């Protein structure tokens, strides 16, 4: 790396901690103020640095533009890949990644079970909104007016004895998911399979996808499925960090 580039990047990194004076910045890169001034003027021309008053500087708008573009261009499927693959390898159960697009929940990635019994789901398939764990996770993050609108627009086709069949019951379930931080499909979609799902969050804390683990009941009972919840939540957390989310704890 060239010396000038190294110094310029050091200045940008220093300004990330807050506005600084010319003298302070010169001390950081250990050069004369005239050299620092030349670097700052170049950075200012490209909007990486903004001058405040006389010889005071702060980060410029170009950095925020670049950061937003970088976050928008991150592929949640690619970002979550390692975490989902690791979960699949540890448990051997089917792992899905789903997103909410144009009013539909779509499976955007899948890692097949290593057990003899497998799910015949596929990438690109739509998930029913009223009876799948991934849909509950994704819809629970919608603003309340939108949640109510969606819930009251669904056809509550009873696919199993456990399927939710009314808007009020579904809204209550979405409230529970928001509070708990995960969702369950207790044989609501298919009576021989149950599933748990958790949110994958983006840089602003919004839910950008849902990760799930699905298991035939003959391989694992309901309590056994819930026993994998900590592992699923850890997977969702790891995927979220890769998607730009910053944990608060």
């Amino acid at each position: 790396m060239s010396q000038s580039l190294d110094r310029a990047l050091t200045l940008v990194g220093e300004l990330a901690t807050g506005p600084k004076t010319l003298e302070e910045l010169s001390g950081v890169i250990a050069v004369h103020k005239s050299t620092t001034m030349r670097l700052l003027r170049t950075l200012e021309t490209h909007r990486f640095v903004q001058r405040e008053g006389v010889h005071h500087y702060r980060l410029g708008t170009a950095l925020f533009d670049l950061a937003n573009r970088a976050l928008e261009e991150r592929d949640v499927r690619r970002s979550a890949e390692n975490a989902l693959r690791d979960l699949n390898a540890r448990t051997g159960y089917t792992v899905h990644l789903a997103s909410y697009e144009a009013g539909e929940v779509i499976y955007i990635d899948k890692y097949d079970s290593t057990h003899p019994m497998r799910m015949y789901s596929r990438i690109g398939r739509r998930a029913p909104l009223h009876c799948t764990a991934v849909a509950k996770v994704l819809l629970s993050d919608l603003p309340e007016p939108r949640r109510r609108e969606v819930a009251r627009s669904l056809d509550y086709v009873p696919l199993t004895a456990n399927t939710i069949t009314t808007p009020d019951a579904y809204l209550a379930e979405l409230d529970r998911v928001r509070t708990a931080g995960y969702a369950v499909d207790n044989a609501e979609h298919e009576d021989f399979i149950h599933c748990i799902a958790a949110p994958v969050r983006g840089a602003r804390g919004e839910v950008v996808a849902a990760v799930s683990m699905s298991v035939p009941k003959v391989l694992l009972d309901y309590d056994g499925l819930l026993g994998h919840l900590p592992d699923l939540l850890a997977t969702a957390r790891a995927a979220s960090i890769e998607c730009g989310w910053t944990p608060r704890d």
Side-chain angles (χ1 to χ4, degrees):
M1 183 184 298
S2 73
Q3 190 175 54
S4 294
L5 178 58
D6 181 63
R7 287 171 174 169
L9 292 174
T10 300
L11 291 175
V12 170
E14 183 64 17
L15 289 172
T17 66
K20 298 288 186 299
T21 65
L22 175 62
E23 185 173 355
E24 289 173 327
L25 293 171
S26 297
V28 169
I29 59 176
V31 298
H32 193 273
K33 286 190 287 187
S34 61
T35 301
T36 306
M37 178 68 79
R38 286 196 296 272
L39 291 170
L40 289 169
R41 283 176 178 168
T42 300
L43 290 169
E44 187 178 2
T45 298
H46 293 278
R47 297 187 299 111
F48 288 107
V49 165
Q50 179 179 336
R51 184 166 47 185
E52 279 190 337
V54 180
H55 300 323
H56 280 74
Y57 297 86
R58 67 184 306 150
L59 290 180
T61 58
L63 283 170
F64 301 108
D65 291 341
L66 289 173
N68 285 330
R69 289 182 194 177
L71 290 172
E72 289 171 359
E73 290 174 3
R74 292 192 72 151
D75 182 344
V76 63
R77 181 182 176 189
R78 184 170 64 249
S79 297
E81 180 179 359
N82 288 338
L84 270 61
R85 180 181 287 112
D86 288 347
L87 177 65
N88 172 253
R90 287 194 303 273
T91 65
Y93 298 125
T94 302
V95 174
H96 287 110
L97 186 68
S99 66
Y100 185 62
E101 303 170 11
E104 297 181 324
V105 172
I106 308 293
Y107 292 114
I108 59 175
D109 210 351
K110 178 189 178 183
Y111 295 83
D112 278 312
S113 171
T114 59
H115 297 283
M117 292 188 66
R118 297 189 178 188
M119 292 184 61
Y120 292 98
S121 57
R122 58 177 173 79
I123 297 172
R125 180 182 178 185
R126 294 170 178 80
L129 300 188
H130 68 300
C131 60
T132 56
V134 288
K136 292 177 186 179
V137 166
L138 292 165
L139 295 182
S140 70
D141 191 58
L142 295 176
E144 183 177 359
R146 180 59 180 155
R147 287 204 309 273
R148 292 187 174 278
E149 180 183 356
V150 172
R152 301 198 184 284
S153 71
L154 300 180
D155 292 325
Y156 291 89
V157 179
L159 299 177
T160 75
N162 292 343
T163 304
I164 294 173
T165 56
T166 68
D168 288 343
Y170 189 61
L171 286 167
E173 176 72 356
L174 295 184
D175 286 340
R176 189 202 68 76
V177 171
R178 284 176 67 88
T179 300
Y182 69 94
V184 173
D185 163 7
N186 185 13
E188 299 166 44
H189 181 209
E190 297 174 290
D191 59 11
F192 59 95
I193 290 175
H194 46 198
C195 174
I196 49 177
V200 176
R201 299 187 179 276
R204 294 177 295 277
E206 77 283 14
V207 175
V208 295
V211 56
S212 69
M213 186 172 72
S214 302
V215 188
K217 292 194 292 184
V218 297
L219 292 180
L220 192 67
D221 64 17
Y222 187 68
D223 288 339
L225 176 68
L226 292 181
H228 284 284
L229 183 59
D231 204 7
L232 178 73
L233 293 174
T235 296
R237 178 187 175 92
S240 297
I241 291 172
E242 289 300 316
C243 288
W245 177 68
T246 302
R248 294 183 179 180
D249 55 352

